[in-house]
Amino acid sequence: DAGITQSPRYKITETGRQVTLMCHQTWSHSYMFWYRQDLGHGLRLIYYSAAADITDKGEVPDGYVVSRSKTENFPLTLESATRSQTSVYFCASSGQMEGQAGNQPQHFGDGTRLSIL
Amino acid sequence: DAKTTQPTSMDCAEGRAANLPCNHSTISGNEYVYWYRQIHSQGPQYIIHGLKNNETNEMASLIITEDRKSSTLILPHATLRDTAVYYCIVRVEGNQGGKLIFGQGTELSVKP
């Protein structure tokens, strides 16, 4: 079934470890996004990508690394995990914005629940 | 960034229409109004969006006032499965890829 999938759904790791969250979409959407959701903060943008090999920082990029070698994949890496990065992570994608920007909805995956001990 | 204001919570009887209001008095002329919902433990789900005109799809209707300072999401026949947090969002054109800024939303409870 076409869509956007995230893996793993649940992950527990220890501080200092490297962990990679995967995101894959089958729509060939140009834009992809990573958000984190925490109580009291809503969803906050970590990184986004306008196309393959083009990435840029969002509101809270510190401690995270992204790459986009292929249009369909947008992995998020925590290079040295900290407890403050315990959160629910959502990946989203949207089509190429032509003409008036903002008229292509973002579609979200089901999230990865990450706990860092 | 245009800010939105929504009631914290609302109740609705099953089978009745759910009308969820949103104020966005600082919206700019080229900014869209988006509605998403989030059911517990799932990712946000896109519902509908609009610029000036009223919009309808298979899920809901969106009514935008003429001055665009407020809007209402209408779920015509609410079911128990519509219980969720509903977010009204003003899409920021060209800003960080058109990022979505989620506020606190309205927690809608559909009751039998």
Side-chain angles (χ1 to χ4, degrees), chain B residues 1-25:
Chain B
D1 297 347
K3 185 178 177 179
T4 62
T5 304
Q6 300 177 250
T8 303
S9 63
M10 292 181 64
D11 290 339
C12 178
E14 188 177 20
R16 303 296 293 268
N19 296 279
L20 290 85
C22 179
N23 288 320
H24 32 76
S25 58

PDB file of all heavy atoms in Angstrom, chain B residues 1-25:
ATOM      1  N   ASP B   1       4.631  34.663  12.335  1.00  0.00           N
ATOM      2  CA  ASP B   1       3.784  33.528  12.006  1.00  0.00           C
ATOM      3  C   ASP B   1       2.387  33.788  12.555  1.00  0.00           C
ATOM      4  O   ASP B   1       2.233  34.177  13.704  1.00  0.00           O
ATOM      5  CB  ASP B   1       4.312  32.241  12.626  1.00  0.00           C
ATOM      6  CG  ASP B   1       5.677  31.861  12.092  1.00  0.00           C
ATOM      7  OD1 ASP B   1       6.092  32.463  11.080  1.00  0.00           O
ATOM      8  OD2 ASP B   1       6.321  30.994  12.679  1.00  0.00           O
ATOM      9  N   ALA B   2       1.383  33.580  11.705  1.00  0.00           N
ATOM     10  CA  ALA B   2       0.019  33.788  12.157  1.00  0.00           C
ATOM     11  C   ALA B   2      -0.324  32.758  13.228  1.00  0.00           C
ATOM     12  O   ALA B   2      -0.075  31.569  13.075  1.00  0.00           O
ATOM     13  CB  ALA B   2      -0.936  33.670  10.985  1.00  0.00           C
ATOM     14  N   LYS B   3      -0.964  33.228  14.290  1.00  0.00           N
ATOM     15  CA  LYS B   3      -1.297  32.352  15.401  1.00  0.00           C
ATOM     16  C   LYS B   3      -2.771  31.988  15.313  1.00  0.00           C
ATOM     17  O   LYS B   3      -3.580  32.765  14.819  1.00  0.00           O
ATOM     18  CB  LYS B   3      -1.016  33.069  16.717  1.00  0.00           C
ATOM     19  CG  LYS B   3      -1.221  32.222  17.942  1.00  0.00           C
ATOM     20  CD  LYS B   3      -0.863  33.003  19.204  1.00  0.00           C
ATOM     21  CE  LYS B   3      -1.131  32.166  20.436  1.00  0.00           C
ATOM     22  NZ  LYS B   3      -0.785  32.867  21.672  1.00  0.00           N
ATOM     23  N   THR B   4      -3.101  30.816  15.805  1.00  0.00           N
ATOM     24  CA  THR B   4      -4.494  30.377  15.838  1.00  0.00           C
ATOM     25  C   THR B   4      -4.935  30.184  17.272  1.00  0.00           C
ATOM     26  O   THR B   4      -4.132  29.838  18.142  1.00  0.00           O
ATOM     27  CB  THR B   4      -4.681  29.068  15.060  1.00  0.00           C
ATOM     28  OG1 THR B   4      -3.908  28.042  15.681  1.00  0.00           O
ATOM     29  CG2 THR B   4      -4.247  29.215  13.610  1.00  0.00           C
ATOM     30  N   THR B   5      -6.231  30.397  17.508  1.00  0.00           N
ATOM     31  CA  THR B   5      -6.829  30.199  18.820  1.00  0.00           C
ATOM     32  C   THR B   5      -8.008  29.262  18.676  1.00  0.00           C
ATOM     33  O   THR B   5      -8.898  29.506  17.849  1.00  0.00           O
ATOM     34  CB  THR B   5      -7.296  31.534  19.423  1.00  0.00           C
ATOM     35  OG1 THR B   5      -6.187  32.437  19.463  1.00  0.00           O
ATOM     36  CG2 THR B   5      -7.806  31.327  20.833  1.00  0.00           C
ATOM     37  N   GLN B   6      -7.994  28.194  19.476  1.00  0.00           N
ATOM     38  CA  GLN B   6      -9.069  27.201  19.452  1.00  0.00           C
ATOM     39  C   GLN B   6      -9.525  26.917  20.875  1.00  0.00           C
ATOM     40  O   GLN B   6      -8.726  27.018  21.816  1.00  0.00           O
ATOM     41  CB  GLN B   6      -8.563  25.889  18.845  1.00  0.00           C
ATOM     42  CG  GLN B   6      -8.043  25.960  17.438  1.00  0.00           C
ATOM     43  CD  GLN B   6      -7.510  24.610  16.985  1.00  0.00           C
ATOM     44  OE1 GLN B   6      -6.305  24.420  16.824  1.00  0.00           O
ATOM     45  NE2 GLN B   6      -8.421  23.665  16.776  1.00  0.00           N
ATOM     46  N   PRO B   7     -10.790  26.513  21.044  1.00  0.00           N
ATOM     47  CA  PRO B   7     -11.200  26.074  22.388  1.00  0.00           C
ATOM     48  C   PRO B   7     -10.419  24.829  22.770  1.00  0.00           C
ATOM     49  O   PRO B   7     -10.044  24.022  21.928  1.00  0.00           O
ATOM     50  CB  PRO B   7     -12.698  25.778  22.217  1.00  0.00           C
ATOM     51  CG  PRO B   7     -12.920  25.669  20.751  1.00  0.00           C
ATOM     52  CD  PRO B   7     -11.881  26.481  20.074  1.00  0.00           C
ATOM     53  N   THR B   8     -10.196  24.686  24.054  1.00  0.00           N
ATOM     54  CA  THR B   8      -9.405  23.558  24.546  1.00  0.00           C
ATOM     55  C   THR B   8     -10.109  22.234  24.336  1.00  0.00           C
ATOM     56  O   THR B   8      -9.486  21.240  23.953  1.00  0.00           O
ATOM     57  CB  THR B   8      -9.097  23.746  26.037  1.00  0.00           C
ATOM     58  OG1 THR B   8      -8.413  24.981  26.219  1.00  0.00           O
ATOM     59  CG2 THR B   8      -8.244  22.608  26.559  1.00  0.00           C
ATOM     60  N   SER B   9     -11.407  22.213  24.563  1.00  0.00           N
ATOM     61  CA  SER B   9     -12.145  20.958  24.434  1.00  0.00           C
ATOM     62  C   SER B   9     -13.580  21.219  24.025  1.00  0.00           C
ATOM     63  O   SER B   9     -14.118  22.308  24.227  1.00  0.00           O
ATOM     64  CB  SER B   9     -12.102  20.175  25.747  1.00  0.00           C
ATOM     65  OG  SER B   9     -12.749  20.897  26.766  1.00  0.00           O
ATOM     66  N   MET B  10     -14.183  20.192  23.414  1.00  0.00           N
ATOM     67  CA  MET B  10     -15.585  20.245  23.006  1.00  0.00           C
ATOM     68  C   MET B  10     -16.163  18.840  23.085  1.00  0.00           C
ATOM     69  O   MET B  10     -15.437  17.860  22.899  1.00  0.00           O
ATOM     70  CB  MET B  10     -15.722  20.757  21.562  1.00  0.00           C
ATOM     71  CG  MET B  10     -15.349  22.193  21.338  1.00  0.00           C
ATOM     72  SD  MET B  10     -15.587  22.667  19.615  1.00  0.00           S
ATOM     73  CE  MET B  10     -17.349  22.482  19.450  1.00  0.00           C
ATOM     74  N   ASP B  11     -17.473  18.791  23.317  1.00  0.00           N
ATOM     75  CA  ASP B  11     -18.193  17.528  23.268  1.00  0.00           C
ATOM     76  C   ASP B  11     -19.181  17.568  22.118  1.00  0.00           C
ATOM     77  O   ASP B  11     -19.672  18.629  21.735  1.00  0.00           O
ATOM     78  CB  ASP B  11     -18.956  17.280  24.575  1.00  0.00           C
ATOM     79  CG  ASP B  11     -18.029  16.977  25.735  1.00  0.00           C
ATOM     80  OD1 ASP B  11     -16.882  16.580  25.492  1.00  0.00           O
ATOM     81  OD2 ASP B  11     -18.463  17.150  26.891  1.00  0.00           O
ATOM     82  N   CYS B  12     -19.478  16.392  21.599  1.00  0.00           N
ATOM     83  CA  CYS B  12     -20.455  16.292  20.521  1.00  0.00           C
ATOM     84  C   CYS B  12     -21.166  14.953  20.647  1.00  0.00           C
ATOM     85  O   CYS B  12     -20.528  13.930  20.967  1.00  0.00           O
ATOM     86  CB  CYS B  12     -19.773  16.400  19.165  1.00  0.00           C
ATOM     87  SG  CYS B  12     -20.879  16.247  17.754  1.00  0.00           S
ATOM     88  N   ALA B  13     -22.472  14.946  20.394  1.00  0.00           N
ATOM     89  CA  ALA B  13     -23.227  13.698  20.427  1.00  0.00           C
ATOM     90  C   ALA B  13     -23.026  12.944  19.118  1.00  0.00           C
ATOM     91  O   ALA B  13     -22.976  13.534  18.030  1.00  0.00           O
ATOM     92  CB  ALA B  13     -24.708  13.985  20.649  1.00  0.00           C
ATOM     93  N   GLU B  14     -22.906  11.647  19.235  1.00  0.00           N
ATOM     94  CA  GLU B  14     -22.729  10.804  18.056  1.00  0.00           C
ATOM     95  C   GLU B  14     -23.878  11.018  17.070  1.00  0.00           C
ATOM     96  O   GLU B  14     -25.055  11.073  17.456  1.00  0.00           O
ATOM     97  CB  GLU B  14     -22.681   9.343  18.483  1.00  0.00           C
ATOM     98  CG  GLU B  14     -22.311   8.384  17.381  1.00  0.00           C
ATOM     99  CD  GLU B  14     -22.215   6.953  17.869  1.00  0.00           C
ATOM    100  OE1 GLU B  14     -22.785   6.648  18.947  1.00  0.00           O
ATOM    101  OE2 GLU B  14     -21.579   6.131  17.186  1.00  0.00           O
ATOM    102  N   GLY B  15     -23.530  11.172  15.779  1.00  0.00           N
ATOM    103  CA  GLY B  15     -24.546  11.383  14.759  1.00  0.00           C
ATOM    104  C   GLY B  15     -24.865  12.839  14.485  1.00  0.00           C
ATOM    105  O   GLY B  15     -25.464  13.162  13.453  1.00  0.00           O
ATOM    106  N   ARG B  16     -24.463  13.707  15.409  1.00  0.00           N
ATOM    107  CA  ARG B  16     -24.701  15.127  15.212  1.00  0.00           C
ATOM    108  C   ARG B  16     -23.495  15.757  14.523  1.00  0.00           C
ATOM    109  O   ARG B  16     -22.421  15.172  14.440  1.00  0.00           O
ATOM    110  CB  ARG B  16     -24.944  15.820  16.555  1.00  0.00           C
ATOM    111  CG  ARG B  16     -26.091  15.231  17.364  1.00  0.00           C
ATOM    112  CD  ARG B  16     -27.418  15.412  16.659  1.00  0.00           C
ATOM    113  NE  ARG B  16     -27.823  16.796  16.581  1.00  0.00           N
ATOM    114  CZ  ARG B  16     -28.584  17.410  17.482  1.00  0.00           C
ATOM    115  NH1 ARG B  16     -28.992  16.754  18.552  1.00  0.00           N
ATOM    116  NH2 ARG B  16     -28.942  18.666  17.317  1.00  0.00           N
ATOM    117  N   ALA B  17     -23.716  16.980  14.019  1.00  0.00           N
ATOM    118  CA  ALA B  17     -22.600  17.708  13.405  1.00  0.00           C
ATOM    119  C   ALA B  17     -21.689  18.273  14.491  1.00  0.00           C
ATOM    120  O   ALA B  17     -22.159  18.807  15.495  1.00  0.00           O
ATOM    121  CB  ALA B  17     -23.130  18.828  12.528  1.00  0.00           C
ATOM    122  N   ALA B  18     -20.405  18.164  14.256  1.00  0.00           N
ATOM    123  CA  ALA B  18     -19.411  18.787  15.150  1.00  0.00           C
ATOM    124  C   ALA B  18     -18.869  20.022  14.451  1.00  0.00           C
ATOM    125  O   ALA B  18     -18.391  19.929  13.304  1.00  0.00           O
ATOM    126  CB  ALA B  18     -18.281  17.806  15.458  1.00  0.00           C
ATOM    127  N   ASN B  19     -18.985  21.163  15.116  1.00  0.00           N
ATOM    128  CA  ASN B  19     -18.510  22.428  14.571  1.00  0.00           C
ATOM    129  C   ASN B  19     -17.348  22.932  15.416  1.00  0.00           C
ATOM    130  O   ASN B  19     -17.537  23.337  16.556  1.00  0.00           O
ATOM    131  CB  ASN B  19     -19.635  23.468  14.567  1.00  0.00           C
ATOM    132  CG  ASN B  19     -20.773  23.065  13.658  1.00  0.00           C
ATOM    133  OD1 ASN B  19     -20.728  23.245  12.457  1.00  0.00           O
ATOM    134  ND2 ASN B  19     -21.810  22.487  14.254  1.00  0.00           N
ATOM    135  N   LEU B  20     -16.170  22.922  14.836  1.00  0.00           N
ATOM    136  CA  LEU B  20     -14.971  23.302  15.580  1.00  0.00           C
ATOM    137  C   LEU B  20     -14.489  24.669  15.092  1.00  0.00           C
ATOM    138  O   LEU B  20     -14.085  24.814  13.934  1.00  0.00           O
ATOM    139  CB  LEU B  20     -13.863  22.260  15.410  1.00  0.00           C
ATOM    140  CG  LEU B  20     -14.105  20.917  16.083  1.00  0.00           C
ATOM    141  CD1 LEU B  20     -14.911  19.989  15.206  1.00  0.00           C
ATOM    142  CD2 LEU B  20     -12.789  20.274  16.460  1.00  0.00           C
ATOM    143  N   PRO B  21     -14.505  25.675  15.973  1.00  0.00           N
ATOM    144  CA  PRO B  21     -14.105  27.026  15.553  1.00  0.00           C
ATOM    145  C   PRO B  21     -12.609  27.268  15.692  1.00  0.00           C
ATOM    146  O   PRO B  21     -11.925  26.605  16.484  1.00  0.00           O
ATOM    147  CB  PRO B  21     -14.887  27.915  16.527  1.00  0.00           C
ATOM    148  CG  PRO B  21     -14.943  27.098  17.783  1.00  0.00           C
ATOM    149  CD  PRO B  21     -15.005  25.647  17.345  1.00  0.00           C
ATOM    150  N   CYS B  22     -12.138  28.248  14.933  1.00  0.00           N
ATOM    151  CA  CYS B  22     -10.728  28.638  14.999  1.00  0.00           C
ATOM    152  C   CYS B  22     -10.608  30.118  14.642  1.00  0.00           C
ATOM    153  O   CYS B  22     -11.201  30.567  13.655  1.00  0.00           O
ATOM    154  CB  CYS B  22      -9.906  27.797  14.032  1.00  0.00           C
ATOM    155  SG  CYS B  22      -8.147  28.203  14.005  1.00  0.00           S
ATOM    156  N   ASN B  23      -9.892  30.846  15.456  1.00  0.00           N
ATOM    157  CA  ASN B  23      -9.596  32.242  15.148  1.00  0.00           C
ATOM    158  C   ASN B  23      -8.168  32.392  14.659  1.00  0.00           C
ATOM    159  O   ASN B  23      -7.247  31.821  15.241  1.00  0.00           O
ATOM    160  CB  ASN B  23      -9.800  33.109  16.395  1.00  0.00           C
ATOM    161  CG  ASN B  23     -11.259  33.279  16.729  1.00  0.00           C
ATOM    162  OD1 ASN B  23     -12.089  33.445  15.852  1.00  0.00           O
ATOM    163  ND2 ASN B  23     -11.591  33.232  18.004  1.00  0.00           N
ATOM    164  N   HIS B  24      -8.002  33.147  13.577  1.00  0.00           N
ATOM    165  CA  HIS B  24      -6.660  33.410  13.021  1.00  0.00           C
ATOM    166  C   HIS B  24      -6.658  34.833  12.486  1.00  0.00           C
ATOM    167  O   HIS B  24      -6.525  35.055  11.280  1.00  0.00           O
ATOM    168  CB  HIS B  24      -6.272  32.384  11.949  1.00  0.00           C
ATOM    169  CG  HIS B  24      -7.417  31.846  11.144  1.00  0.00           C
ATOM    170  ND1 HIS B  24      -8.042  32.548  10.136  1.00  0.00           N
ATOM    171  CD2 HIS B  24      -8.066  30.656  11.244  1.00  0.00           C
ATOM    172  CE1 HIS B  24      -8.991  31.820   9.613  1.00  0.00           C
ATOM    173  NE2 HIS B  24      -9.053  30.662  10.259  1.00  0.00           N
ATOM    174  N   SER B  25      -6.793  35.787  13.394  1.00  0.00           N
ATOM    175  CA  SER B  25      -7.016  37.180  13.008  1.00  0.00           C
ATOM    176  C   SER B  25      -5.812  37.828  12.328  1.00  0.00           C
ATOM    177  O   SER B  25      -5.958  38.854  11.668  1.00  0.00           O
ATOM    178  CB  SER B  25      -7.420  38.003  14.240  1.00  0.00           C
ATOM    179  OG  SER B  25      -6.415  37.902  15.234  1.00  0.00           O
TER     180      SER B  25
END
